[in-house]
Amino acid sequence: MTFHFRALRRTALALLLITAALPASAREFRVAVGDGAGGTQEALGLAFTAALAEKTAGAHSAKLFLNGQLGDEQDTVTAAATGTLDFSILAINNITPFSPSVGTLTLPYVILSLEEAETITQGEIGQQMVDRTVEDAGVRIIGWAYSGFRVLTNSKHPVTTVADLQDLVIRVPKNEIMIETYKSWGINPTPMAWSETFAALQQKVVDGQDNPYMTVNAMKFDEVQKYVTNIRYIFSIEPLIVSEQLFQSLSPEEQAAVSEAGKAATLASAEFLRAKEAEIKTDLQARGMEISDPADGEAEFIERATTQVWPKFYDTIGGKEVLNGVLAALGRPAVE
């Protein structure tokens, strides 16, 4: 499948125009999107919108609300759980507080490639996480966006070693695993809501943050950050969730259409990342960002994070066996 981002934009716009002519029973669902235009979250949303209209023969459509218009990402989980929001696309770390087992995928250096992310989310482990999220959070994961590794950006100087981090104030989401990862590297990061991050970077309240290249581009962080480090501690996976109240109110045929549209959007997201990430990285360099790789293959970052952080969260994610299940699915050795 060839993914055409502009074509999806046109398709989504056409579908929104069509909804005016649909019968009163037709529904236009609201989809909260944390990021701005041009990123992975929007791409997933556009693909879902197009697939949903196709699979319901135009009976239902969806409208995207970008840049957190419908609330912070964690707030949208609560809104969906209570039935006041239909769908949301959000970073996986923002659903982890509601469904801790999903946090397995945010443990540092567990997912090491797009292919590993696809293996986990589209396989048995992914289905287990869907089931647990319904039970724990009252929302259902129906699709996954793949955004790539959360690279580190900052406005002060290049970072290639753990020592280079020590004078930096780094923003992180309000996520304990990510906070503890930075602590393992010797610094106390600053937890901060996503909606506040750009302004904090701009005003030098914080020096840096980490997010995938796709998000750095979509949020125009190159305007307030200069240096990028290609750390690979988290491969960013962003679920598309639906209110379980809404899902259960649909007919079996409609539920199938929503689920199939989510699967189609997931495949489209992987294609989007493969097609766009290298191009975006080059564009960011052309706009003045300087990109570095960690020294020694990231060895010190990896050793500190895996030995200090993983054991702290075995109980939180549901036991060491949950992590070992993920590692086994990836063909990697279990932790003792």
Side-chain angles (χ1 to χ4, degrees):
M1 174 180 62
T2 301
F3 184 84
H4 295 290
F5 188 55
R6 291 179 180 173
L8 278 178
R9 280 182 180 275
R10 292 194 296 269
T11 301
L13 177 60
L15 291 170
L16 291 177
L17 295 174
I18 289 170
T19 55
L22 292 175
S25 59
R27 298 181 65 176
E28 180 181 79
F29 298 116
R30 296 185 306 154
V31 183
V33 182
D35 286 352
T40 307
Q41 290 188 358
E42 186 195 32
L44 181 77
L46 290 172
F48 174 72
T49 298
L52 179 66
E54 176 189 351
K55 294 178 185 301
T56 62
H60 298 308
S61 63
K63 181 178 180 180
L64 307 184
F65 292 83
L66 303 176
N67 285 311
Q69 294 177 65
L70 301 184
D72 289 336
E73 290 189 353
Q74 287 193 16
D75 293 340
T76 67
V77 180
T78 302
T82 57
T84 59
L85 176 65
D86 303 320
F87 296 86
S88 179
I89 303 170
L90 66 162
I92 196 168
N93 50 273
N94 285 319
I95 200 170
T96 298
F98 303 91
S99 187
S101 65
V102 178
T104 310
L105 302 187
T106 68
L107 286 174
Y109 302 104
V110 168
I111 302 294
L112 299 178
S113 69
L114 170 58
E115 291 71 27
E116 289 192 350
E118 291 177 294
T119 294
I120 293 302
T121 56
Q122 297 178 35
E124 181 180 348
I125 299 293
Q127 185 57 51
Q128 291 173 5
M129 291 183 177
V130 170
D131 296 341
R132 288 293 298 272
T133 303
V134 171
E135 179 181 342
D136 294 341
V139 298
R140 179 180 295 265
I141 300 171
I142 59 166
W144 305 87
Y146 306 111
S147 294
F149 290 110
R150 293 181 72 107
V151 297
L152 174 69
T153 72
N154 84 91
S155 59
K156 292 182 76 171
H157 56 70
V159 171
T160 61
T161 67
V162 169
D164 293 334
L165 280 176
Q166 302 312 304
D167 67 332
L168 298 179
V169 178
I170 303 295
R171 174 268 174 187
V172 295
K174 297 174 182 178
N175 177 274
E176 287 302 316
I177 293 174
M178 299 172 78
I179 292 168
E180 289 299 321
T181 298
Y182 276 92
K183 286 183 177 179
S184 78
W185 295 334
I187 66 171
N188 287 310
T190 301
M192 182 179 292
W194 181 230
S195 59
E196 301 169 5
T197 301
F198 187 93
L201 294 168
Q202 188 175 45
Q203 296 164 13
K204 308 295 185 183
V205 174
V206 294
D207 301 313
Q209 61 84 52
D210 66 62
N211 260 293
Y213 280 110
M214 315 294 285
T215 305
V216 172
N217 179 63
M219 299 304 293
K220 298 181 172 28
F221 281 158
D222 59 288
E223 296 178 1
V224 291
Q225 301 276 269
K226 183 174 180 61
Y227 304 99
V228 182
T229 306
N230 287 323
I231 58 174
R232 301 171 297 126
Y233 85 113
I234 290 180
F235 187 96
S236 188
I237 302 171
E238 300 177 283
L240 165 61
I241 61 172
V242 59
S243 164
E244 185 64 7
Q245 288 189 35
L246 169 62
F247 190 78
Q248 293 303 329
S249 75
L250 301 174
S251 69
E253 293 76 18
E254 289 172 321
Q255 289 181 353
V258 167
S259 297
E260 290 168 6
K263 291 177 182 177
T266 298
L267 297 177
S269 178
E271 289 295 325
F272 179 74
L273 180 61
R274 289 187 173 100
K276 290 293 183 178
E277 186 176 45
E279 175 186 327
I280 285 172
K281 180 178 177 181
T282 299
D283 287 347
L284 290 171
Q285 287 178 298
R287 300 201 310 255
M289 298 195 87
E290 296 181 11
I291 299 175
S292 303
D293 291 319
D296 301 320
E298 211 167 337
E300 186 179 9
F301 289 91
I302 295 170
E303 192 277 334
R304 288 192 182 207
T306 55
T307 60
Q308 296 181 40
V309 179
W310 284 12
K312 290 182 179 180
F313 291 94
Y314 291 153
D315 290 343
T316 302
I317 64 174
K320 189 187 299 185
E321 62 273 13
V322 175
L323 173 59
N324 281 336
V326 172
L327 294 174
L330 297 174
R332 305 226 301 269
V335 293
E336 299 297 332

